[in-house]
Amino acid sequence: MAVARVTEVVGSSDKSWEDAVQEALDRANKTIRGLTGIEVTKMNAHIEDGKITEYRSHVRITFILED
Amino acid sequence: MAVARVTEVVGSSDKSWEDAVQEALDRANKTIRGLTGIEVTKMNAHIEDGKITEYRSHVRITFILED
Amino acid sequence: MAVARVTEVVGSSDKSWEDAVQEALDRANKTIRGLTGIEVTKMNAHIEDGKITEYRSHVRITFILED
Amino acid sequence: MAVARVTEVVGSSDKSWEDAVQEALDRANKTIRGLTGIEVTKMNAHIEDGKITEYRSHVRITFILED
Amino acid sequence: MAVARVTEVVGSSDKSWEDAVQEALDRANKTIRGLTGIEVTKMNAHIEDGKITEYRSHVRITFILED
Amino acid sequence: MAVARVTEVVGSSDKSWEDAVQEALDRANKTIRGLTGIEVTKMNAHIEDGKITEYRSHVRITFILED
Amino acid sequence: MAVARVTEVVGSSDKSWEDAVQEALDRANKTIRGLTGIEVTKMNAHIEDGKITEYRSHVRITFILED
Amino acid sequence: MAVARVTEVVGSSDKSWEDAVQEALDRANKTIRGLTGIEVTKMNAHIEDGKITEYRSHVRITFILED
Amino acid sequence: MAVARVTEVVGSSDKSWEDAVQEALDRANKTIRGLTGIEVTKMNAHIEDGKITEYRSHVRITFILED
Amino acid sequence: MAVARVTEVVGSSDKSWEDAVQEALDRANKTIRGLTGIEVTKMNAHIEDGKITEYRSHVRITFILED
Amino acid sequence: MAVARVTEVVGSSDKSWEDAVQEALDRANKTIRGLTGIEVTKMNAHIEDGKITEYRSHVRITFILED
Amino acid sequence: MAVARVTEVVGSSDKSWEDAVQEALDRANKTIRGLTGIEVTKMNAHIEDGKITEYRSHVRITFILED
């Protein structure tokens, strides 16, 4: 049966945490195949002048290891 | 004074985690009365071909036990 | 080098958890200067008649202490 | 050998957390048989005008499932 | 999309923790349909005269809620 | 909607942990208005000559921030 | 400067968790000198016929190691 | 002195969690040299028709980084 | 009522984690009487040449303190 | 008996984590009296060009509230 | 194979947390043989007049149990 | 906006935990570019003949993923 690997990535966005997750996923798709699932483990943000300038979503990504 | 119960439910949606919470709440409303609160404890997702096909929100639901 | 402080705030909204975070941030901006970051630590909600009437986002806010 | 189930209940009282646990236990006894143990997992309270008006004890209850 | 529920059960066995998980699963199958997954959250045991007399596996069981 | 703040206080008493919580609450009432809830997060004690001389209750206090 | 040791003890009582802590402390005083502090880490209970028959307080005890 | 890396892998098996750990280890040996240790962090399983069809062992693997 | 103590032991075996637990229990029986329960808190292993050479089970052991 | 408060501060230094704790303590001494203890809860650092440019020590500070 | 025991000790020092760990280790060496490892689990300190007067390092010590 | 990755490394040193962190960082710099931060998650050590022979610092390293 297949063996999977779990890796942790931090996506960022100036729009929302949901978009930051998508950024992380888009980047992962560039170099990883066989993605099966993600889990959001932390949502934080950078603030400047009282405004959120960078949403950051910490994401654990699971993908199948090819033989 | 009232006694409440806490139960854990996992809602899913192909739109967003917020919608998956709503799905969980809609289903709970079918069989449970007296809901007072929810807490989102985990947000994960299933991925196929590099795309999120199923958002999953784990939700703890509190409701008053009737006499 | 600068010393920062971390404080915990709970924002609420009848729209969404993301809006509840914004409410918390807006309130913090009224009395605190030098905000550098936030982290969402808990998302819960109050329910009445089966509907979410109040989204609550627990937020840890970091800000630089002025000399 | 027997199989047990664990469920989470929140008892409330205007007297004390110990009494709130008892309220939770009394309510559980109305509908569940075969209780073997409890664990207090959280003690919080509602406050009005600076006074505790409702003690809340979160209790995990274990009971044997009958065949 | 389907909504699932998570419940916690404690299976016991005089053979092994793996067998205790199976006992929990067998009991769940008697009353629950639509099981999709389990997670072992705790493994403990009762001891008498220096020997393990009862293995106990705490298991979180996920199952699809039917409409 | 209102924004609340959470602060952590440690009450002490030579009588009991329940009294130590009350001490913490009494002190909070001197300087804070709008208290809505508390949660007991830790109960420890100082011991001298084999006797508890100071019960300490760690309490998270939530209160509404006024505009 | 002094070095302390931390040990974990479970006291039981048919009266209350506070009394169960006292039982643990009384027993510790029989064999240990130099106790400086305790922390209650868990409160559970055994139930028979729907009634608490044994309160159990899990207690971490700190004491100074003599030279 | 040597520097090690820790990576997380999920092995699966239709036999047991112990076998799923072995699957994870076998796969790791294909691409990684210098393995020194593993830790099992989670044991879950997929269920179909009331039977465990896939045991999954989450494993943290430590290995020495070569110069 | 009886007071119990909890101590932590790490058993090892070249066969399995279940056997490592038994090794820990066998060793405890040599010097401790009145054992009532154990809990497995961690399962790790030492690896050499890609093979598990030593299974290690971390076990919390509870035993009654004699008067 | 006295009531204490716990607050969280993040000190930074270009020398070490120990120095960053001292920075946090020095800043706290400017505005707070009656400090009784600290606990280091997190040690992280900012890196530029492969070098640590800012050590950050997260510190929980306890101080007695004056009447 | 060998069975090890884990015990928790708190060392103190007026110099640093690293020195407090050494104090704990020195004391352990007086009465325990076969030490194989330590882990620092908590670093706190006592403060007087705004200065750290006692660094405290909480240390878990592992040692082989002799036959 | 940039996407970062988080990886876990264990540095060792015969001098101190601070030096072990530096060893981990030095090794990371050999193969990774774009490091932005580290967090120390665990400090343990190997002991022989009552002396620390190897300090080990577990470090989470964050670095920007290049396009």
Side-chain angles (χ1 to χ4, degrees):
Chain A
M1 284 174 129
V3 173
R5 224 188 123 213
V6 184
T7 189
E8 189 174 341
V9 169
V10 187
S12 30
S13 157
D14 54 9
K15 295 199 196 70
S16 68
W17 281 292
E18 200 124 350
D19 190 54
V21 172
Q22 192 59 50
E23 289 294 317
L25 187 54
D26 289 350
R27 181 59 182 78
N29 275 319
K30 283 190 188 171
T31 43
I32 306 175
R33 278 191 296 175
L35 273 73
T36 59
I38 57 171
E39 180 184 343
V40 182
T41 55
K42 193 174 173 177
M43 295 185 298
N44 56 1
H46 187 67
I47 294 182
E48 273 178 50
D49 296 327
K51 287 189 177 58
I52 295 178
T53 52
E54 186 178 348
Y55 293 84
R56 286 182 197 146
S57 293
H58 297 240
V59 180
R60 280 164 55 87
I61 296 181
T62 304
F63 57 97
I64 301 295
L65 288 169
E66 299 170 21
D67 285 332
Chain B
M1 283 173 132
V3 173
R5 227 190 118 209
V6 184
T7 189
E8 188 173 342
V9 170
V10 186
S12 30
S13 158
D14 54 8
K15 295 200 195 71
S16 67
W17 281 292
E18 199 123 351
D19 190 54
V21 172
Q22 192 59 51
E23 289 294 317
L25 187 54
D26 289 350
R27 181 59 184 78
N29 275 320
K30 283 190 186 172
T31 43
I32 306 175
R33 280 191 295 176
L35 274 72
T36 59
I38 57 170
E39 179 183 344
V40 183
T41 54
K42 193 175 172 177
M43 296 186 297
N44 55 2
H46 187 68
I47 294 183
E48 275 178 47
D49 297 327
K51 288 191 175 56
I52 295 179
T53 53
E54 187 179 348
Y55 293 84
R56 287 181 195 147
S57 293
H58 298 240
V59 180
R60 280 165 53 89
I61 296 181
T62 304
F63 57 97
I64 301 295
L65 288 170
E66 298 170 22
D67 286 332
Chain C
M1 284 174 130
V3 173
R5 225 189 122 211
V6 184
T7 188
E8 188 173 343
V9 169
V10 187
S12 28
S13 157
D14 54 8
K15 295 200 197 71
S16 68
W17 280 292
E18 199 123 351
D19 190 54
V21 171
Q22 192 59 50
E23 289 294 318
L25 186 55
D26 288 350
R27 181 60 183 78
N29 275 319
K30 283 190 188 173
T31 43
I32 306 175
R33 279 192 295 176
L35 274 72
T36 59
I38 58 171
E39 180 184 344
V40 182
T41 54
K42 192 175 173 178
M43 296 185 297
N44 56 2
H46 187 68
I47 294 182
E48 272 178 50
D49 297 328
K51 288 188 177 57
I52 295 178
T53 53
E54 187 178 346
Y55 292 84
R56 287 182 196 148
S57 293
H58 298 241
V59 180
R60 281 165 53 89
I61 296 180
T62 304
F63 57 97
I64 301 294
L65 288 170
E66 298 169 22
D67 286 333
Chain D
M1 283 174 131
V3 173
R5 225 189 121 212
V6 184
T7 188
E8 188 174 341
V9 169
V10 187
S12 29
S13 157
D14 54 9
K15 295 198 195 71
S16 68
W17 281 291
E18 198 124 350
D19 190 53
V21 171
Q22 192 58 50
E23 289 294 317
L25 187 54
D26 289 350
R27 181 60 183 78
N29 275 320
K30 282 189 186 172
T31 42
I32 306 174
R33 280 192 295 177
L35 273 72
T36 59
I38 57 171
E39 180 184 344
V40 183
T41 54
K42 192 175 174 177
M43 296 186 298
N44 56 0
H46 187 68
I47 294 183
E48 273 178 49
D49 297 327
K51 288 189 176 57
I52 295 178
T53 53
E54 186 179 347
Y55 293 85
R56 285 181 197 149
S57 293
H58 297 240
V59 180
R60 280 164 55 89
I61 296 181
T62 305
F63 57 97
I64 301 293
L65 288 170
E66 300 171 19
D67 286 333
Chain E
M1 283 175 130
V3 173
R5 225 189 120 212
V6 183
T7 188
E8 188 173 342
V9 169
V10 187
S12 28
S13 157
D14 54 8
K15 295 199 197 70
S16 68
W17 280 292
E18 199 124 349
D19 190 54
V21 172
Q22 191 59 50
E23 289 294 316
L25 186 54
D26 288 351
R27 181 59 183 79
N29 274 320
K30 283 188 185 172
T31 43
I32 306 175
R33 279 192 296 176
L35 274 71
T36 58
I38 58 171
E39 180 183 344
V40 183
T41 55
K42 192 176 174 178
M43 296 185 297
N44 57 0
H46 186 69
I47 294 183
E48 274 178 49
D49 297 327
K51 287 188 177 58
I52 295 179
T53 53
E54 187 178 347
Y55 293 85
R56 286 181 196 147
S57 293
H58 298 240
V59 180
R60 280 165 55 88
I61 296 180
T62 304
F63 57 97
I64 301 294
L65 288 169
E66 299 171 21
D67 286 332
Chain F
M1 284 176 129
V3 173
R5 228 191 117 209
V6 183
T7 189
E8 188 173 341
V9 170
V10 186
S12 29
S13 157
D14 54 8
K15 296 200 195 70
S16 68
W17 281 292
E18 198 123 351
D19 190 54
V21 172
Q22 192 58 51
E23 289 294 318
L25 187 54
D26 288 351
R27 181 59 183 79
N29 275 320
K30 283 189 186 172
T31 42
I32 306 174
R33 278 192 296 176
L35 273 71
T36 59
I38 57 171
E39 179 184 344
V40 182
T41 54
K42 192 174 174 178
M43 296 185 298
N44 56 1
H46 187 68
I47 294 182
E48 274 177 48
D49 297 326
K51 288 190 177 56
I52 295 178
T53 53
E54 187 178 347
Y55 293 84
R56 286 182 195 147
S57 292
H58 297 240
V59 180
R60 279 165 55 88
I61 297 180
T62 305
F63 57 97
I64 302 294
L65 287 170
E66 298 170 22
D67 286 334
Chain G
M1 283 175 132
V3 174
R5 226 189 121 213
V6 184
T7 189
E8 189 174 341
V9 170
V10 186
S12 29
S13 156
D14 54 9
K15 296 200 195 70
S16 68
W17 280 292
E18 198 124 352
D19 190 54
V21 171
Q22 192 57 52
E23 289 294 317
L25 187 53
D26 289 351
R27 181 60 183 78
N29 275 320
K30 282 189 186 173
T31 42
I32 305 174
R33 279 192 294 177
L35 274 71
T36 59
I38 58 171
E39 180 183 344
V40 183
T41 53
K42 191 175 174 178
M43 295 185 298
N44 57 0
H46 187 68
I47 294 183
E48 274 178 47
D49 298 327
K51 288 189 177 57
I52 294 178
T53 53
E54 187 179 347
Y55 293 84
R56 287 182 195 146
S57 293
H58 297 239
V59 180
R60 280 165 55 90
I61 297 181
T62 304
F63 57 97
I64 301 295
L65 288 171
E66 298 170 23
D67 286 332
Chain H
M1 284 176 129
V3 173
R5 226 190 118 209
V6 184
T7 188
E8 189 175 340
V9 170
V10 187
S12 29
S13 158
D14 54 8
K15 295 200 196 70
S16 69
W17 281 291
E18 199 122 352
D19 189 54
V21 172
Q22 192 58 50
E23 289 294 318
L25 187 55
D26 289 351
R27 180 60 182 76
N29 275 319
K30 283 189 187 172
T31 43
I32 306 174
R33 279 192 296 176
L35 274 70
T36 58
I38 57 170
E39 180 184 343
V40 183
T41 55
K42 192 174 174 178
M43 296 185 298
N44 56 2
H46 187 68
I47 294 183
E48 273 177 49
D49 297 327
K51 288 190 176 57
I52 295 178
T53 52
E54 186 178 347
Y55 293 84
R56 286 182 196 147
S57 293
H58 298 239
V59 180
R60 280 164 54 88
I61 296 181
T62 304
F63 56 98
I64 301 294
L65 289 170
E66 299 171 22
D67 285 332
Chain I
M1 285 176 131
V3 173
R5 226 190 120 210
V6 183
T7 189
E8 188 174 341
V9 169
V10 187
S12 28
S13 157
D14 53 9
K15 295 199 196 70
S16 67
W17 281 291
E18 199 124 350
D19 190 54
V21 172
Q22 192 59 50
E23 289 294 317
L25 187 54
D26 289 350
R27 182 57 183 80
N29 275 319
K30 283 190 185 171
T31 42
I32 306 175
R33 280 191 294 176
L35 273 71
T36 59
I38 57 170
E39 179 184 344
V40 182
T41 54
K42 192 175 173 178
M43 296 185 298
N44 56 2
H46 187 68
I47 294 183
E48 273 177 49
D49 296 327
K51 288 191 176 56
I52 296 179
T53 52
E54 186 178 348
Y55 293 84
R56 286 181 196 148
S57 293
H58 297 240
V59 180
R60 279 165 54 89
I61 297 181
T62 305
F63 56 96
I64 301 294
L65 288 170
E66 299 171 21
D67 286 334
Chain J
M1 284 175 130
V3 173
R5 227 190 120 212
V6 184
T7 189
E8 189 173 342
V9 170
V10 186
S12 28
S13 158
D14 54 7
K15 295 200 196 70
S16 68
W17 281 291
E18 200 124 348
D19 190 53
V21 172
Q22 192 58 50
E23 288 295 317
L25 186 55
D26 289 350
R27 181 58 183 80
N29 275 320
K30 283 190 186 171
T31 43
I32 306 175
R33 278 192 296 177
L35 275 72
T36 59
I38 57 171
E39 180 184 344
V40 182
T41 55
K42 192 175 173 177
M43 297 185 297
N44 56 2
H46 188 68
I47 295 183
E48 273 177 50
D49 296 327
K51 288 190 176 57
I52 296 179
T53 52
E54 187 179 347
Y55 293 85
R56 287 182 195 146
S57 293
H58 297 241
V59 180
R60 280 165 53 89
I61 296 181
T62 304
F63 56 97
I64 301 294
L65 289 170
E66 297 170 22
D67 285 333
Chain K
M1 282 174 131
V3 173
R5 227 190 119 210
V6 184
T7 188
E8 188 174 341
V9 169
V10 187
S12 27
S13 157
D14 54 9
K15 295 200 197 71
S16 69
W17 280 292
E18 199 124 349
D19 190 53
V21 171
Q22 192 59 50
E23 289 294 317
L25 186 54
D26 289 350
R27 181 60 182 78
N29 275 319
K30 283 190 185 172
T31 43
I32 306 174
R33 280 192 294 177
L35 274 71
T36 58
I38 58 170
E39 180 183 344
V40 182
T41 54
K42 192 175 173 176
M43 295 185 297
N44 56 1
H46 186 68
I47 294 182
E48 273 178 48
D49 297 326
K51 288 190 176 56
I52 295 179
T53 52
E54 187 179 348
Y55 293 85
R56 286 181 196 147
S57 293
H58 297 240
V59 180
R60 279 164 55 88
I61 296 181
T62 303
F63 57 97
I64 301 294
L65 288 170
E66 300 171 20
D67 286 334
Chain L
M1 283 174 130
V3 173
R5 225 189 122 212
V6 184
T7 189
E8 189 174 341
V9 169
V10 187
S12 28
S13 157
D14 54 8
K15 295 201 195 71
S16 68
W17 280 292
E18 200 124 350
D19 190 54
V21 172
Q22 192 58 51
E23 289 293 318
L25 187 54
D26 288 350
R27 181 60 183 78
N29 275 320
K30 284 190 187 172
T31 43
I32 306 174
R33 278 192 296 176
L35 274 71
T36 59
I38 58 170
E39 180 183 344
V40 183
T41 54
K42 192 174 173 177
M43 296 185 297
N44 56 1
H46 187 67
I47 294 183
E48 273 177 49
D49 297 327
K51 288 190 176 57
I52 295 178
T53 52
E54 187 179 347
Y55 293 84
R56 285 181 197 148
S57 293
H58 298 240
V59 180
R60 280 165 55 88
I61 296 181
T62 305
F63 57 98
I64 301 294
L65 289 170
E66 298 170 22
D67 285 332

